[in-house]
Amino acid sequence: MDAPQNPATNNADTATAQAAGTPTRPDGSPCITQIDFARAGVITPAMRAVAEREHRDPEFIRAGVAAGRIAIPANVRHLAAGLKPAGVGAGLSTKVNVNLGISGDVADADVEWEKVATAERLGADAIMDLSNSGKTRFFRQELVKKTPLMVGTVPMYDAIGYMEKPLVKLTVDDLLEVTRAHAEDGVDFLTIHCGINKSVVKTFKETGRLMNIVSRGGSLLFGWMEVTGNENPFYEYYDEILKICHEYDVTISLGDSCRPGCLFDANDAVETAEMIELGKLAKRAWDAGVQVMIEGPGHMAINEIAANVELEKRLCHGAPYYVLGPLVTDIGVGYDHITAAIGGAISASAGADFLCYVTPAEHLCLPDADDVREGLIATKIAAHAADIAKGVPHARDVDDRMGDARRRLAWDEMWNYALDADTARARYEASPASTEGTCTMCGKMCAVRTVNKVFEGTTIDLDAE
């Protein structure tokens, strides 16, 4: 467990926490979660690690966690197993998530482990295990044990296989049991589709949509609600979910069941109705000592993205925004890592905090390791570009180092600054230039080389070969 260490010296609550010994919550129970400690005025080792990574004062991180503007998804069991804590939220670098997992049609764990290795090598911040077929617990447990990255899951995906029951036979107890199993396994954040309650479903039916519901978890719960006639169990028994999350310090990622699946449905009545519910649920989670992220928004035209981010921040009280895409056109099939990266850069520069990558396989098939690489690099470009625009501390430093290396035509140094050094080097070496130090785009007419020679006072040799 991430025990308190070196309490903040510039917070009025710190002296009280120190005098009392073990920090406690307002009800007298011991602090467990990062938000518990933050509100007790205590800076935990996880907060210090995030502060160091983000070039921020530890008190900045503590205050952000206490207010709910920053989440540090860090299950106490994953921390004990070697998690490297990362912060998601206001004033921090934009984080990137990689989805992977075993499906019913492609159930090859070795391929998924190759994807894990790719994600770690290329600098992902989180991995979501979206396995949805058979007994997935062993893979999830091994993932938590082996990766230092944040791990997220969606218990609803796992419920049918875990309980060995058809969807409509699942009970409230079944869903709570699956949720607890994921928390016990050390998962750092759980996507829980709590917002699609009967009120939101009524809005959905009354207003209609071109693409209906495209969230997998949302569609399963909608189907369950329609067949049984009951309220969404994750909404009705939300307090029980929060107790589980608090026990292990699992961040609840409030799922966007009604995110738009096409541009036509973007920012419509049902998406907004669900976001209003998510804002209410966020406050209840914070009151229970549970950290929160909000998910959204799927497909959305470029000119609507900034308003969507602003609306989420207002309705959800500044909670970190975790976005899929947004995909800025519906016709980029086969290239949706590009459509999503465009939207991701815009949404993050407008204030979104966490980007879920999209691969070239989106809408088509389960991605392979190459798809993971392409999707991750595209999303990291989007996140980094947004961080430069937002003025995240030191975000542009590596770009300036790259510029200096390019001026000096220091190719080996350039690879150190590239997001995907292997691909960059391979392309350069596959097409060797006849003039040393240049590439085959310009050769002797390389502008950088020419200006360097001018300043060096050497001959500019541009005679025809």
Side-chain angles (χ1 to χ4, degrees):
M1 177 179 159
D2 199 6
Q5 175 179 312
N6 299 327
T9 57
N10 55 343
N11 184 275
D13 292 333
T14 301
T16 302
Q18 289 175 322
T22 301
T24 59
R25 305 170 71 199
D27 63 4
S29 62
C31 292
I32 295 176
T33 66
Q34 297 295 326
I35 195 171
D36 283 346
F37 285 116
R39 288 175 170 174
V42 177
I43 295 175
T44 66
M47 295 177 204
R48 289 193 179 280
V50 170
E52 182 176 359
R53 172 178 176 175
E54 300 286 346
H55 307 284
R56 292 287 190 181
D57 186 275
E59 173 59 16
F60 177 88
I61 305 300
R62 186 210 63 79
V65 173
R69 296 188 304 270
I70 293 173
I72 303 177
N75 187 306
V76 293
R77 292 191 169 177
H78 198 185
L79 273 173
L83 169 71
K84 293 181 179 178
V88 180
L92 307 184
S93 59
T94 306
K95 303 303 182 296
V96 173
N97 172 70
V98 163
N99 289 340
L100 48 81
I102 298 165
S103 78
D105 290 318
V106 185
D108 189 336
D110 289 340
V111 172
E112 300 313 306
W113 283 117
E114 185 182 357
K115 297 176 189 178
V116 171
T118 299
E120 292 178 348
R121 185 179 75 255
L122 294 178
D125 301 289
I127 294 173
M128 285 201 80
D129 173 17
L130 304 186
S131 296
N132 61 13
S133 177
K135 297 298 184 182
T136 62
R137 192 170 196 182
F138 177 75
F139 180 80
R140 178 170 66 249
Q141 290 173 330
E142 287 296 296
L143 181 61
V144 170
K145 185 187 302 182
K146 293 178 179 179
T147 186
L149 307 182
M150 295 183 288
V151 173
T153 59
V154 187
M156 190 65 206
Y157 292 179
D158 188 34
I160 295 172
Y162 185 91
M163 302 307 304
E164 296 183 329
K165 290 182 178 180
L167 173 66
V168 297
K169 296 294 185 181
L170 292 173
T171 67
V172 171
D173 287 341
D174 291 335
L175 295 175
L176 291 175
E177 181 181 335
V178 174
T179 302
R180 176 168 288 279
H182 284 232
E184 289 177 346
D185 289 344
V187 173
D188 303 298
F189 61 99
L190 295 178
T191 292
I192 307 289
H193 298 87
C194 309
I196 183 169
N197 57 21
K198 285 188 173 182
S199 173
V200 172
V201 169
K202 183 173 183 290
T203 298
F204 166 54
K205 290 181 176 179
E206 288 176 347
T207 58
R209 273 188 152 185
L210 180 60
M211 276 288 292
N212 292 324
I213 294 173
V214 299
S215 158
R216 184 161 55 189
S219 68
L220 292 172
L221 282 165
F222 173 72
W224 187 92
M225 293 166 68
E226 289 295 291
V227 171
T228 65
N230 296 326
E231 180 59 277
N232 175 357
F234 289 120
Y235 176 80
E236 186 174 8
Y237 294 89
Y238 185 58
D239 290 338
E240 297 302 313
I241 297 291
L242 293 178
K243 288 178 183 177
I244 295 170
C245 290
H246 185 268
E247 184 177 351
Y248 297 92
D249 194 6
V250 176
T251 297
I252 190 165
S253 190
L254 293 171
D256 51 343
S257 303
C258 299
R259 68 175 178 267
C262 62
L263 299 186
F264 185 89
D265 295 335
N267 285 322
D268 66 354
V270 65
E271 181 192 1
T272 306
E274 184 182 36
M275 191 179 289
I276 291 170
E277 295 298 326
L278 297 184
K280 298 175 186 177
L281 294 169
K283 293 188 75 172
R284 286 173 60 185
W286 289 329
D287 289 344
V290 175
Q291 300 182 95
V292 175
M293 299 187 293
I294 309 293
E295 297 185 11
H299 294 233
M300 188 164 291
I302 285 175
N303 60 304
E304 297 183 89
I305 294 173
N308 175 271
V309 175
E310 184 176 353
L311 185 65
E312 182 275 339
K313 292 293 182 178
R314 180 182 292 263
L315 293 179
C316 299
H317 320 291
Y321 199 16
Y322 174 26
V323 301
L324 176 70
L327 281 72
V328 296
T329 176
D330 297 332
I331 61 172
V333 184
Y335 300 90
D336 275 331
H337 58 310
I338 297 174
T339 66
I342 294 168
I346 295 169
S347 63
S349 64
D353 308 287
F354 194 9
L355 303 182
C356 185
Y357 89 151
V358 171
T359 77
E362 185 78 7
H363 302 112
L364 299 172
C365 61
L366 190 74
D368 61 20
D370 285 338
D371 292 323
V372 169
R373 178 183 57 79
E374 290 193 36
L376 176 53
I377 291 299
T379 309
K380 281 185 66 67
I381 291 170
H384 183 67
D387 288 346
I388 294 169
K390 287 191 288 190
V392 170
H394 299 285
R396 209 188 69 187
D397 288 0
V398 68
D399 297 82
D400 294 341
R401 290 194 293 270
M402 175 65 90
D404 182 63
R406 281 177 168 160
R407 175 184 59 80
R408 293 181 283 109
L409 294 173
W411 294 94
D412 287 339
E413 193 174 328
M414 292 181 216
W415 313 143
N416 295 329
Y417 308 136
L419 282 171
D420 184 355
D422 291 342
T423 296
R425 183 187 294 108
R427 283 187 176 275
Y428 176 75
E429 293 177 350
S431 181
S434 58
T435 302
E436 184 180 357
T438 68
C439 75
T440 52
M441 172 66 77
C442 298
K444 283 187 177 182
M445 295 187 67
C446 171
V448 175
R449 176 177 181 269
T450 297
V451 175
N452 286 348
K453 283 185 170 292
V454 170
F455 283 129
E456 292 166 1
T458 56
T459 302
I460 303 173
D461 49 344
L462 297 182
D463 55 303
E465 293 289 335

